[in-house]
Amino acid sequence: MSKSAVAEIKAVIDERIAAIGDKDAARAIACLADDVVAFELAPPLSLAADAVRDRAGFASWLAGFEEIAIEMRGLVIEADERIGFARALHHLTGTRV
C-alpha cells in the first residue's frame, strides 16, 4: 500500500466533508471522480455519476440546512500507485431550515 496515495485519498475525503459542512456544492462535487457511484440510505440506494454530480440539486439539498456536520466512521483506504478506493460510514447531522 502506498502511503502517499492513501494520504491523497484521505485529503480528498476531508475536503469533501469540509465543503459539505460549508454548504459549498461546487467544491464538494469537484472532489468527485467523473465516474463516481454513490451509495445512499434513501432509495434509490445507488446513484450514478450524473445524479451524484448534479450541482444544482446538491446545492438545493444543502440549502435545506441551517447547519450540517458529518462524522466519519470506519474509514478504510486501499491504494497503490495506480488505483485506490475508500469506504466508510458517514453520520450526517444538521438543523433543517
Side-chain angles (χ1 to χ4, degrees):
M1 183 173 343
S2 167
K3 289 183 181 180
S4 63
V6 169
E8 284 183 54
I9 292 169
K10 178 72 166 79
V12 170
I13 292 167
D14 290 344
E15 170 62 13
R16 180 160 166 80
I17 289 173
I20 292 169
D22 293 341
K23 299 192 318 181
D24 185 338
R27 198 169 112 219
I29 289 173
C31 297
L32 301 175
D34 292 338
D35 60 351
V36 65
V37 175
F39 296 91
E40 305 289 344
L41 184 59
L45 300 179
S46 66
L47 299 172
D50 59 335
V52 179
R53 298 182 63 80
D54 176 6
R55 186 179 301 175
F58 194 50
S60 176
W61 182 79
L62 288 171
F65 291 90
E66 288 180 26
E67 55 186 49
I68 189 168
I70 298 174
E71 175 189 353
M72 184 170 39
R73 299 177 186 171
L75 175 63
V76 175
I77 300 172
E78 300 288 342
D80 63 23
E81 296 304 325
R82 298 178 331 147
I83 191 167
F85 68 91
R87 66 181 184 274
L89 294 176
H90 294 98
H91 180 220
L92 184 139
T93 57
T95 304
R96 293 295 247 162
V97 174

